[in-house]
């Protein structure tokens, strides 16, 4: 495969060399006008020592001696000659003549290094699209939506009998039928009856040029990919029991490289560039294979076949070739780069690499080698550090083991000595050092009992119960939602959803980036416009929380882009539910951190159209209508505005919306107004809520352009004295009570926590006093040795009590629980303060 280079020069890799072809026009000043146009070619061989291409043998052929018409190269590649079974380079030339007649000549380069004419044909137009030379040699191209071909065997220019929107023209490694045309069908039913038994319609069709067979090509490329496929590379193909088995890779216009086995997508790799032109495979030997993709604008990307991950990228490439340029038995990529100045040689700036340690470059400041050297040095340092750390850890472990062995040996010697003394009837005397090393076996028993009792009273909270799992597809977005039961919603305060992609060649499923949100459903009724809420400090928060959530269930939705999931006509995705128990609940002891539960899986079929019932009938109260509303709230942008009228009572905004905009009140949630849409992108949802007689809050769910149009109409309706302020999503009136409640909770938590610590310390001191009081029932006698010892012990106890009073000590576990609870309360206060300061924009 070759690409255009400056000055009408074409490059072609063949048997490890580079062949250059260039058309030379006659120069009248030099008296060469009689000779006509010439086609010059030369062979370039890579030399490792000089890291350059040396020019070898070449030649020249006169194209047209009689005519002075311009000659240009249309395409050049190598193809198999079916008669002598030899693969040779082929060059397709075009000569423009009068009367819009174009003469095409196909030349082949023989083994004797001579250009020989193979065939000629004329066309009334210039071929431009999908020009391909395959075995035969056979020339194929497309014009005006029709595929044509010609060869010596055909003897004329022919067209295929069916009309296809062409995807690619490829060559299959089969025994008899090799040249294959792939596209999606746009032919009539009458033409289908002559070739197929299937009814007419849009399908992925295949056509073999050798025998003219037409068949359904869904086993090669699914119909869902036929309209977005740009180029295809066939890895393998065979016919088993008259059924075609194939393995292909296809590059799509969605910046994807898809791996197909018998028409089933196996892996997908996101490509960094757009407009792919062709794909080649690089066999690097034991290191595996690479797919080299050439893009428009001179971009090249290499993808590993095993991992299906991008290996490297280049830009500014004018020509890409794959061959064994180093004569080492494996393939390498040759990337020829463009030059701002006129090049001295056709291959002046180039890079030869297999991405496995072999790299040769010339005329290019390759930063890849320096980066690789820096990376290798960094990896070396990290490896040395890791080995040193492991060596130090091993020495420490060895020293600990040696210490344990010494202790065991000493214990064994002492045990043998004690047993010997016991048998002999002697008294075994322990030294002071041995007595200090003894540990009571009964000291840990109360602690173990306390831990056992604590484990017995720990409650086990069941996971949230999922009532329903559903999904919707709106344009190019996928929305997944779950409805939690009332009991489950009470036990979880922070809930999100995540979507996993089905396992492919990898062992673990991939997590898809999603945007998750949770909301109560149905929407709680708004307060009366003339009612004033009770101060938060005087409310019973538990009663409010339990009352608000007793009749409402929690709906959790997750939204993601549908493009990464476009791997086949049908794909399954597991759905994971992440939640955190509310602080203070019974589950906060056993589950202090986030918990993940799998709540099922969904099956996405891109060929199934999702009809949203709520868009056609707003009076529905079914579960499907509720899911449609939640999907719209998840996918649409939310805008919340505070409307304030300082001079007089606020007018009826909801009534004006219903009269000025064709909309209907939703029966499933009467607080929402749905505008009659012309499509998913034109949907508008309104939610109006009176706060006071002079103030109200309006939520609009739509696109930015739609909200600007709506605000323009709203400004014309409201009096000039009214003001409209945009609030943070969710409104701003609840932030002040939330901040007050958070500060109050922080003060109470600090007070109660410190009081509990001091109360526990006082109880411990009282127990010490009682125990010491029992011992001091009789006054000590300082004159005796025993009385002096008791006075010394009493003085030590008084000293310890004084030290505890001046600097009381608390348990580590109790102090850790106090700091964790205070930190959580302070974080909630910080969040409330941020919400209060950022409410108005």
């Amino acid at each position: 495969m070759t690409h255009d280079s400056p000055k009408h020069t074409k490059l072609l890799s063949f048997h490890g060399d580079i062949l250059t072809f260039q058309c030379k026009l006659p120069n009248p000043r030099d008296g060469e006008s009689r000779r006509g146009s010439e086609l010059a070619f030369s062979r370039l061989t890579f030399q490792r020592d000089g890291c350059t291409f040396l020019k070898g043998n070449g030649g020249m052929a006169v194209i047209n001696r009689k005519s002075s018409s311009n000659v240009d190269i249309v395409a050049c590649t190598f193809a198999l000659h079916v008669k002598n079974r030899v693969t040779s380079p082929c060059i397709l030339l075009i000569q423009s003549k009068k009367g819009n007649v174009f003469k095409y000549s196909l030349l082949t380069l023989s083994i004797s290094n001579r250009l020989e004419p193979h065939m000629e044909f004329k066309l009334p137009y210039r071929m431009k699209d999908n020009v391909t030379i395959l075995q035969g040699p056979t020339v194929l191209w497309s014009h005006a939506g029709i595929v044509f071909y010609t060869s010596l065997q055909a003897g004329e220019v022919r067209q295929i009998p069916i009309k296809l929107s062409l995807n690619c023209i490829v060559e299959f490694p089969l025994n008899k039928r090799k040249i294959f045309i792939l596209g999606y069908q746009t032919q009539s039913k009458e033409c289908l009856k002559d070739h197929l038994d299937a009814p007419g319609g849009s399908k992925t069709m295949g056509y073999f040029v050798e025998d003219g067979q037409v068949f359904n090509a869904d086993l090669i490329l699914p119909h869902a990919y036929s309209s977005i496929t740009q180029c295809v590379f066939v890895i393998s193909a065979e016919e088993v029991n008259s059924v075609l088995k194939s393995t292909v890779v296809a590059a799509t216009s969605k910046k994807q490289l898809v791996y197909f086995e018998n028409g089933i997508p196996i892996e997908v790799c996101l490509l960094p560039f757009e407009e792919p032109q062709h794909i080649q495979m690089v066999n690097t030997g034991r290191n595996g294979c690479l797919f080299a993709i050439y893009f428009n604008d001179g971009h090249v990307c290499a993808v590993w076949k095993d991992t299906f991950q991008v290996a490297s990228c280049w830009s500014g490439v004018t020509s890409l070739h794959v061959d064994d340029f180093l004569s080492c038995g494996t393939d390498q990529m040759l990337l020829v780069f463009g030059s701002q100045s006129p090049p001295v040689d056709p291959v002046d700036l180039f890079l030869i690499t297999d991405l496995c340690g072999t790299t040769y470059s010339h005329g290019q400041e390759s930063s890849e080698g320096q980066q690789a050297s820096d990376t290798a040095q960094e990896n070396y340092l990290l490896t040395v550090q890791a080995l040193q750390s492991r060596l130090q850890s091993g020495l420490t472990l060895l020293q600990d083991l040696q210490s344990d062995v010494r202790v065991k040996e000493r214990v064994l010697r002492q045990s043998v000595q004690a047993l010997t003394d016991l048998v002999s009837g002697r008294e075994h005397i322990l030294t002071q050092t041995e007595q200090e090393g003894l540990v009571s076996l009964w000291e840990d028993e109360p602690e173990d009992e306390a831990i056992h009792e604590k484990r017995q009273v720990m409650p086990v909270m069941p996971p949230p119960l999922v009532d329903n799992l559903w999904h919707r597809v709106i344009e190019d977005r996928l929305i997944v939602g779950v409805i939690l039961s009332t009991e489950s919603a009470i036990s979880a305060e922070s809930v999100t959803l995540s979507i996993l992609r089905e396992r492919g060649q990898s062992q673990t499923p991939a997590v898809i980036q999603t945007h998750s949100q949770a909301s109560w459903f149905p929407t709680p009724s708004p307060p009366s416009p003339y009612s004033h809420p009770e101060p938060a400090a005087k409310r019973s928060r538990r009663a409010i929380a339990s009352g608000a959530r007793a009749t409402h269930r929690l709906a959790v939705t997750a939204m993601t882009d549908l493009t990464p999931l476009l791997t086949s006509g049908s794909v399954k995705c597991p759905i994971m539910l992440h939640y955190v128990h509310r602080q203070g609940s019974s589950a906060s002891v056993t589950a202090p951190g986030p918990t993940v539960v799998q709540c099922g899986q969904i099956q996405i079929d891109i060929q199934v159209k999702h009809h949203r019932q709520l868009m056609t009938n707003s009076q529905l109260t079914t579960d499907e209508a509720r899911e449609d509303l939640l999907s719209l709230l998840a996918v649409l942008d939310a805008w919340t505005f505070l409307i304030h009228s300082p001079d007089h009572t606020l007018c009826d905004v909801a009534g004006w919306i219903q009269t000025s905009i064709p909309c209907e009140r939703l029966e499933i949630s009467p607080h929402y107004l749905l505008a009659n849409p012309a499509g998913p992108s034109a949907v508008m949802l309104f939610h109006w809520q009176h706060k006071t007689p002079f103030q109200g809050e309006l939520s609009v769910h739509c696109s930015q352009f739609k909200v600007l149009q709506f605000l323009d109409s709203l400004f014309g309706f409201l009096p000039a004295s009214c003001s409209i302020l945009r609030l943070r999503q969710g409104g701003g009136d609840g932030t002040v009570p939330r901040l007050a409640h958070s500060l109050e909770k922080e003060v109470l938590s600090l007070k109660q926590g410190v009081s509990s610590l001091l109360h526990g310390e006082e109880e411990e001191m009282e127990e010490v006093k009682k125990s010491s009081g029992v011992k001091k029932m009789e006054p000590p006698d300082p004159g005796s040795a025993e009385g002096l010892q008791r006075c010394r012990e009493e003085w030590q106890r008084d000293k310890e009590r004084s030290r505890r009073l001046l600097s009381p000590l608390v348990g580590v576990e109790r102090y850790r629980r106090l700091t964790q609870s205070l930190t959580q309360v302070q974080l909630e206060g910080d969040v409330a303060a941020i919400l209060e300061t950022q409410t108005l924009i």
Side-chain angles (χ1 to χ4, degrees):
M1 192 66 63
T2 181
H3 306 281
D4 289 341
S5 298
K7 296 187 177 182
H8 307 282
T9 301
K10 293 284 186 174
L11 303 180
L12 175 64
S13 62
F14 186 70
H15 291 171
D17 296 333
I18 293 294
L19 301 178
T20 65
F21 299 92
Q22 184 177 8
C23 286
K24 293 184 177 181
L25 301 179
N27 192 352
R29 297 180 181 180
D30 299 336
E32 298 179 357
S33 58
R34 297 181 180 180
R35 296 175 55 184
S37 301
E38 297 176 342
L39 177 62
F41 68 93
S42 61
R43 186 182 301 268
L44 303 178
T45 304
F46 180 72
Q47 296 295 328
R48 297 191 186 185
D49 298 336
C51 192
T52 183
F53 281 90
L54 297 182
K55 187 174 182 181
N57 53 5
M60 184 179 297
V62 179
I63 304 302
N64 194 348
R65 298 180 182 273
K66 299 179 180 181
S67 176
S68 60
S69 59
N70 294 331
V71 178
D72 198 2
I73 302 175
V74 179
C76 66
T77 183
F78 53 86
L80 177 66
H81 201 290
V82 293
K83 289 186 177 181
N84 53 23
R85 309 303 298 174
V86 175
T87 301
S88 59
C90 301
I91 306 95
L92 181 62
L93 303 178
I94 180 175
Q95 304 178 42
S96 59
K97 292 188 175 184
K98 297 181 180 180
N100 292 328
V101 176
F102 298 90
K103 179 182 178 182
Y104 292 89
S105 302
L106 182 64
L107 306 179
T108 60
L109 185 62
S110 64
I111 302 177
S112 59
N113 209 33
R114 295 179 56 185
L115 286 172
E116 300 177 352
H118 183 72
M119 67 174 178
E120 294 182 354
F121 59 95
K122 296 181 181 180
L123 294 175
Y125 54 85
R126 178 187 291 270
M127 61 173 63
K128 297 180 180 179
D129 300 330
N130 302 302
V131 181
T132 307
I133 303 175
L134 298 178
Q135 74 159 15
T138 304
V139 182
L140 301 97
W141 69 95
S142 63
H143 179 74
I146 303 175
V147 180
F148 299 87
Y149 69 94
T150 183
S151 63
L152 286 181
Q153 292 76 20
E156 60 180 351
V157 176
R158 299 180 181 179
Q159 72 179 49
I160 64 174
I162 59 175
K163 190 174 182 180
L164 296 176
S165 295
L166 185 63
N167 287 123
C168 64
I169 302 174
V170 294
E171 186 172 327
F172 271 27
L174 301 177
N175 294 328
K176 297 181 179 180
R177 299 176 296 177
K178 291 181 179 292
I179 302 178
F180 181 77
I181 300 173
L182 184 66
Y184 55 96
Q185 179 191 15
T186 56
Q187 63 183 8
S188 62
K189 295 183 179 179
E190 289 77 8
C191 186
L192 276 176
K193 292 179 181 178
D194 299 335
H195 299 280
L196 291 173
D197 296 333
S202 178
K203 293 183 179 180
T204 304
M205 304 299 297
Y207 179 84
F208 280 106
V209 175
E210 286 83 356
D211 56 4
Q213 181 182 1
V214 184
F215 66 95
N216 191 338
D218 285 336
L219 292 178
I220 301 174
L221 186 69
H223 176 67
Y225 286 88
S226 60
S227 61
I228 62 175
T229 298
Q230 300 291 319
C231 53
V232 175
F233 177 80
V234 179
I235 301 176
S236 63
E238 61 177 348
E239 284 185 320
V240 180
N241 298 327
S242 300
V243 178
L244 183 61
K245 304 289 185 179
S246 64
T247 302
V248 302
V249 289
T252 68
S253 58
K254 298 292 185 179
K255 298 173 65 176
Q256 294 175 325
L257 184 68
V258 189
Y259 187 93
F260 295 96
E261 286 186 2
N262 302 323
I264 300 175
I266 303 299
E267 284 289 346
V268 176
C269 175
L270 296 180
L271 299 176
F273 307 111
E274 297 179 347
E275 300 182 15
Q277 291 188 1
H278 74 88
I279 306 172
Q280 299 183 72
M281 189 166 71
V282 185
N283 186 1
T284 63
R286 292 181 299 176
N287 297 312
C289 294
L290 287 162
F291 294 113
I293 305 99
Y294 187 88
F295 299 84
N296 195 11
D297 297 332
H299 301 297
V300 174
C301 173
V303 177
W304 287 110
K305 179 184 176 182
D306 296 335
T307 61
F308 227 65
Q309 299 293 328
V310 175
S312 184
C313 301
W314 300 270
S315 298
V317 181
T318 59
S319 183
L320 170 65
H321 308 273
V322 175
D323 211 326
D324 185 10
F325 301 102
L326 304 179
S327 300
C328 60
T330 59
D331 293 337
Q332 304 91 38
M333 291 182 291
L334 170 62
L335 295 90
V336 181
F337 297 91
S339 177
Q340 296 180 356
S341 60
V344 180
D345 298 324
V347 184
D348 188 19
L349 306 179
F350 65 88
L351 172 66
I352 296 178
T353 181
D354 59 357
L355 297 181
C356 299
T358 302
T359 301
Y360 293 89
S361 63
H362 181 269
Q364 171 122 350
E365 293 290 335
S366 177
S367 60
E368 182 180 359
Q370 183 65 28
Q371 292 178 358
S373 177
D374 296 342
T375 304
Q377 183 68 18
E378 183 180 358
N379 292 339
Y380 172 76
L381 294 177
L382 293 177
T383 304
V384 171
Q385 293 177 1
L387 291 176
Q388 290 178 349
S389 177
R390 292 182 61 183
L391 181 60
Q392 186 66 30
S393 177
L395 291 176
T396 304
L397 179 61
L398 180 60
Q399 293 175 358
D400 294 340
L401 292 176
Q402 292 176 349
S403 177
D404 292 341
V405 170
R406 289 193 296 267
V407 171
K408 291 179 180 179
E409 290 179 352
R410 188 178 69 250
V411 171
L412 287 175
R413 287 196 302 267
Q414 294 176 359
S415 301
V416 171
Q417 184 64 36
L419 183 59
T420 303
D421 295 340
L422 180 62
V423 173
S424 304
R426 296 191 302 267
E427 181 181 0
H428 184 69
I429 301 175
L430 296 175
T431 62
Q432 185 68 24
T433 305
E434 293 174 347
Q435 292 179 3
E436 292 177 357
L438 296 178
V439 178
S440 176
L441 299 177
W442 300 95
E443 289 182 356
D444 296 334
E445 183 177 0
E447 184 178 357
D448 294 339
E449 293 178 356
I451 294 176
H452 181 67
E453 293 176 358
K454 184 177 181 180
R455 289 178 180 177
Q456 289 181 346
V457 299
M458 281 184 179
V460 178
M461 199 65 182
L465 299 178
V466 179
D467 287 349
N468 189 17
L469 172 63
W470 48 270
H471 72 281
R472 293 289 188 276
V473 176
I474 301 179
E475 291 185 344
D476 59 345
R477 302 292 182 88
L478 171 65
I479 299 94
V480 179
V482 296
I483 304 295
L484 302 182
S485 63
T486 306
E487 295 79 6
S488 300
I490 292 176
S491 63
E493 63 178 1
S494 179
V495 188
T496 58
L497 282 181
S498 63
I499 306 175
L500 304 182
R501 193 169 62 185
E502 205 172 28
R503 292 185 178 96
Q505 294 182 356
S506 59
Q507 296 296 328
T508 58
V511 181
I512 302 175
Q513 184 177 3
T514 58
H515 174 71
S516 181
Q517 62 181 6
S519 59
W520 292 102
F521 191 89
T523 306
S525 301
S528 174
Y530 306 103
S531 64
H532 299 279
E534 188 179 2
K538 297 182 180 181
R539 289 193 304 227
S540 175
R541 298 176 179 84
R542 294 184 180 179
I544 293 176
S546 61
R549 301 182 182 181
T551 58
H552 300 87
R553 293 186 295 174
L554 189 65
V556 189
T557 58
M559 180 183 63
T560 185
D561 191 5
L562 192 61
T563 302
L565 298 176
L566 189 64
T567 59
S568 65
S570 179
V571 64
K572 294 181 181 180
C573 296
I575 307 300
M576 308 302 293
L577 180 68
H578 307 255
Y579 64 94
V580 178
H581 289 282
R582 294 196 318 274
Q583 188 175 0
S585 64
S586 59
S588 61
V589 179
T590 59
T595 308
V596 183
V597 176
Q598 182 175 1
C599 52
Q601 63 179 3
I602 60 173
Q603 184 172 2
I604 306 170
D605 194 345
I606 60 177
Q607 296 183 353
V608 176
K609 296 182 179 180
H610 297 269
H611 299 283
R612 290 175 290 278
Q613 301 179 3
L614 190 65
M615 310 289 283
T616 58
N617 188 1
S618 61
Q619 303 301 318
L620 294 176
T621 57
T622 60
D623 294 340
E624 289 77 8
R626 176 190 62 195
E627 296 166 2
D628 292 342
L629 176 58
L630 293 174
S631 301
L632 291 176
L633 293 176
V635 76
L636 294 176
D637 296 332
W639 313 83
T640 305
F641 303 97
L642 182 66
I643 303 177
H644 179 63
S645 178
D647 297 337
H648 48 75
T649 304
L650 192 61
C651 52
D652 187 10
V653 178
W656 172 79
I657 293 176
Q658 288 181 297
T659 55
S660 61
I661 301 178
C663 57
E664 300 177 355
R665 191 173 296 276
L666 299 179
E667 188 67 24
I668 189 67
S669 182
H671 308 299
Y672 283 99
L673 299 175
L674 174 66
N676 294 325
S681 60
V683 176
M684 295 185 70
L685 281 172
F686 302 94
H687 182 274
W688 169 253
Q689 182 178 0
H690 261 296
K691 295 295 184 180
T692 64
F694 305 96
Q695 195 177 66
E697 187 176 298
L698 177 63
S699 298
V700 184
H701 301 266
C702 63
S703 62
Q704 185 175 5
F705 179 71
K706 285 289 183 180
V707 78
L708 291 177
Q709 290 182 332
F710 171 76
L711 289 178
D712 182 67
S713 303
L714 182 61
F715 274 113
F717 166 72
L718 295 175
S721 60
C722 291
S723 62
I724 300 179
L725 297 177
R726 181 187 170 189
L727 302 177
R728 182 183 178 274
Q729 183 176 352
D733 286 354
T735 56
V736 175
R738 180 177 178 180
L739 178 58
H741 169 59
S742 300
L743 295 177
E744 179 184 2
K745 185 177 180 181
E746 183 176 349
V747 173
L748 291 177
S749 300
L750 181 61
K751 179 180 178 182
Q752 294 175 359
V754 175
S755 299
S756 63
L757 291 180
L758 296 179
H759 181 67
E761 182 66 21
E762 291 176 358
E763 289 181 352
E764 292 180 0
M765 293 180 61
E766 290 295 332
E767 293 178 359
V768 172
K769 288 182 179 179
K770 291 180 180 180
S771 60
S772 61
V774 173
K775 294 182 180 180
K776 291 195 308 180
M777 293 179 60
E778 298 180 0
D781 185 10
S784 60
E786 183 180 357
L788 185 60
Q789 180 66 23
R790 291 178 57 187
C791 291
R792 184 181 292 108
E793 293 176 356
E794 182 67 23
W795 178 76
Q796 289 291 344
R797 284 193 292 268
D798 293 340
K799 181 180 179 181
E800 182 67 19
R801 284 195 298 268
S802 301
R803 186 185 64 80
R804 290 193 175 186
L805 290 175
L806 293 176
S807 56
L809 299 177
V810 296
V812 176
E813 187 64 28
R814 296 172 61 187
Y815 183 76
R816 183 182 292 111
R817 289 197 299 267
L818 174 62
T819 54
Q820 289 179 353
S821 61
L822 289 179
T823 302
Q824 184 65 29
V825 173
Q826 290 175 353
L827 287 176
E828 294 178 358
D830 294 342
V831 171
I834 292 175
L835 293 178
E836 173 61 21
T837 56
Q838 296 183 355
T839 298
L840 298 180
I841 297 178

